[in-house]
Amino acid sequence: MKFSNLFIPTSKENPSDVVLPSHQFLVRGGFVNQEGAGLYNFMPLGKIVLDKIRTIVKEELDKAGCNEVQLSFVTPISLWDRSGRAEDMGKEMLRIKDRHDNDFVLSPTNEEAMVELVKNRVKSYKDLPVNLYQINTKFRDEARPRYGILRGREFLMKDGYSFHSNTEDMIREFDLMEETYKKIFTRLGLDFRVVNADSGAIGGSGSKEFHVLANSGEDTILVCESCDYGANIETIFEDESEVDSLNELSYEQLQEKEVTQKCSCGGKLSFKKGIEVGHIFQLGDKYSKALEANFQDENGKPKAFEMATFGIGVSRLVASVIEQNHDEKGCIWTKNTAPYLVDIIVSNAKKEDELDAGIKIYEELKANGIDVIIDDRKKERFGFKMGDFELIGFPYAVVIGKKLQDGLVEIVDRKTLEKQECKLDEVFEVLQKKLDNS
Ligand code: ATP
Ligand code: MG
């Protein structure tokens, strides 16, 4: 891709309500722009990142045997009346009317619709299990949309629903999805923790959350430094005000809180801040019973499906990567989330030899399967292009400038900002090694 062909409206202006670095850098880097409260457009770079994340989510789910579907975003209110959730969801659920005065909602989640889809189509225990998912728009009229795309009103979610003939099989799938989610977040290059999200019965939790560790996270979690135990503090403290007061503390203040209690493994427990990017939940037959969704069991008797549900905040992940990976200059994308891996900066694109050398490296990297973009803009100066590189956060830059006469270019590592001279004909080799090791 060429910068001159790609619409990347970077800017020095901060959004007016900015608090978090991810919000600031995603807007200033030309990834997203705000359309209204909690409503965001994804511009070309943002869309590329969103699709990369979406692809990784899809690849891992498909490998685990899940089936992708796409449900209609607008759902009739009757569906929600039948499950009893029309009331429960309250104002988060946005209602609309059609021209005939019928009531609909913009889907905030899709348990009911998914049960209806499976009901009467999956008839026997022999047809089970089934795990269906979609990566689709959700709308929640959040009381406080904030932090850019971290808490939008319209957002992209992966929501999955599995159907089983018995609890044991449902728990097997729940465990499989936990492993699958770990693979997804690992591929995205994230430092994350799986935590118990409800106090649950001894021997296991029916609800787990996946948190990206970040100082700015809205949730407070307690994690063990020796084993993989973790819990959302909402599950530990009975008193809600205690949870609220801990949530209000900054990361630094939290670190000063001594935890006297030890983990059951004997390890030291400490508080961390997390961004919830995934949630898996053992539902049982709550929705299948309410919606009379049955199958025939081994004895020919009707039985309500055992269900589990699995969510990932796909658009929230875009911001989470940056919340965890940035510096004061801008974004630092991980290898599998970067819109492009290498930015070839032609210092002065009006100089034919510089532009030619840049294009030659560009073609070579592309031919070798490296995702590369060339900053071939004629009207921008070197300093501006370097600023865009740092703000957008491509993992590496190849700078073509004055040393070209000596057959040399400079490779810049976005994370460390270290520069390294490199011979023209060794650029691919050097970059390949760096990418392999990152
Ligand atoms: P939260 O506590 O952050 O409001 P939730 O418990 O309402 O999340 P779920 O209903 O479990 O979230 O939705 C699944 C996933 O969708 C969440 O883990 C989160 O990553 C994402 N998500 C939820 N609400 C939003 C939002 N307003 N904007 C972006 N992503 C969201
Ligand atoms: Mg919520």
Side-chain angles (χ1 to χ4, degrees), residues 125 233 253 315 342 363 365 410:
Y125 71 96
I233 58 158
Q253 289 168 318
S315 51
V342 179
E363 295 295 347
L365 296 183
E410 221 168 42

Side-chain angles (χ1 to χ4, degrees), residues 3-4 34 62 64 72 84 111 117 129 139 145 177 180 220 232 236 241 246 256 310-311 316 333 338 373 398 400 406:
F3 252 84
S4 57
Q34 189 172 0
D62 289 356
S72 81
E111 279 80 5
L117 188 131
F139 193 95
M177 286 301 110
T180 305
T220 308
N232 193 317
I236 306 171
S241 64
L246 276 170
E256 285 162 18
F310 315 102
R316 180 178 281 186
W333 293 100
I373 186 165
V398 177
I400 300 174
D406 310 321

Side-chain angles (χ1 to χ4, degrees), residues 208-258:
K208 289 188 178 179
E209 290 170 352
F210 296 74
H211 284 265
V212 167
L213 299 182
N215 299 358
S216 59
E218 276 190 282
D219 287 286
T220 308
I221 57 178
L222 190 65
V223 301
C224 176
E225 290 173 9
S226 307
C227 72
D228 62 6
Y229 170 81
N232 193 317
I233 58 158
E234 288 167 4
T235 69
I236 306 171
F237 299 105
E238 306 238 310
D239 185 356
E240 235 175 79
S241 64
E242 207 162 345
V243 173
D244 288 344
S245 66
L246 276 170
N247 274 339
E248 257 155 45
L249 295 181
S250 71
Y251 177 75
E252 287 73 23
Q253 289 168 318
L254 263 183
Q255 294 319 290
E256 285 162 18
K257 286 235 159 224
E258 188 75 35

Side-chain angles (χ1 to χ4, degrees), residues 92 140 142 151:
E92 256 192 38
R140 293 182 184 177
E142 298 272 357
R151 186 171 295 286

Side-chain angles (χ1 to χ4, degrees), residues 19 62 118 120 136 153 171 242 293 298 330 362 373 435:
V19 191
D62 289 356
V118 166
N120 298 331
N136 207 349
R153 293 199 292 170
I171 292 174
E242 207 162 345
E298 284 98 326
Y362 170 70
I373 186 165
L435 287 167

